[in-house]
Amino acid sequence: MIGLIGGMSWESSAEYYRILNQGVRDRLGPTASARCLLWSFDFSEIERLQHDGDWAGLTARMTDAARRLEDAGADVLLICTNTMHRMAADVQAAVSIPLLHIADPTAVQIKAAGFSKVGLLGTAFTMEHDFYKGRLRDTHGLDVIVPDDRDRSTVHRVIYDELVAGKVTAESREAYRQVIARLVAEGAEAVILGCTEIMLLVKPEDSPVPVFDTTALHAEAAVAMALEG
């Protein structure tokens, strides 16, 4: 049973649900679907606490959700957002079932493709803090670069003002294309879509180098983990 800590935002949680069920159906047959549990937050509360810097309050909510999912029968946990992996260690410590960290299947696929220097797009928290870049660097040996201050502001704004509300515009897609182009000019061999909503906006054709969608890779790894043990 896959336990999902979602609602951050529900737009990307819906993609998790789709990918999980499609993955199980592809493996087990046309009527098969994923056995999963979803704890879905009200993202307006989460977003407020993020921008207030109340990470202790957020950690308390995340660990509570993890325990509730374990108590309900989950065998593995997924945090359905990159940013909230800031408290991944606390969530894992709160339960006895494994937490599948979103950065790990992403890094595995990047290294399997032969890349070592990658650009990272995500919220300002993900791009600027070390909880995500550090794991890619220290655990997986990747060289991670992020956009400059102005581009980070653009990427963050589009996520919170548009993508979490399901708004996808040509103007924002072009802005992201330009940010990606500048990362490539700095040597990025590939780009991580390190926010689970970015896949709503950026497609492979929007980048001159391969893009790695953390949402799809995370969900696909969960299917493999659940079915293969």
Side-chain angles (χ1 to χ4, degrees), residues 8-9 12 43 46-47 50-51 55 58 80-87 102 119-133 144-164 176 179 192-199 214:
M8 301 174 285
S9 68
S12 59
F43 188 59
I46 299 299
E47 185 270 343
Q50 286 176 341
H51 287 95
W55 298 103
L58 289 164
C80 301
T81 159
N82 288 271
T83 297
M84 297 298 277
H85 277 74
R86 174 175 172 136
M87 60 280 299
I102 196 169
L120 174 63
L121 301 180
T123 67
F125 312 112
T126 299
M127 292 186 290
E128 294 172 4
H129 301 176
D130 201 51
F131 68 91
Y132 197 90
K133 294 181 294 183
V144 183
I145 59 175
V146 297
D148 63 21
D149 290 351
R150 182 175 179 180
D151 282 349
R152 290 200 306 273
S153 178
T154 297
V155 171
H156 183 88
R157 178 190 59 76
V158 169
I159 292 168
Y160 279 93
D161 291 354
E162 300 176 15
L163 298 183
V164 299
Y176 269 57
V179 173
I192 297 172
L193 306 185
C195 171
T196 50
E197 282 82 25
I198 294 178
M199 55 93 74
T214 56

Side-chain angles (χ1 to χ4, degrees), residues 32-46:
S33 54
R35 296 178 68 244
C36 60
L37 298 164
L38 170 64
W39 180 272
S40 188
F41 281 103
D42 175 359
F43 188 59
S44 65
E45 176 188 4
I46 299 299

Side-chain angles (χ1 to χ4, degrees), residues 151 175-187 191 206-208:
D151 282 349
Y176 269 57
R177 285 173 175 165
Q178 294 300 319
V179 173
I180 290 170
R182 285 188 280 274
L183 287 173
V184 172
E186 293 180 33
V191 172
D206 295 313
S207 172

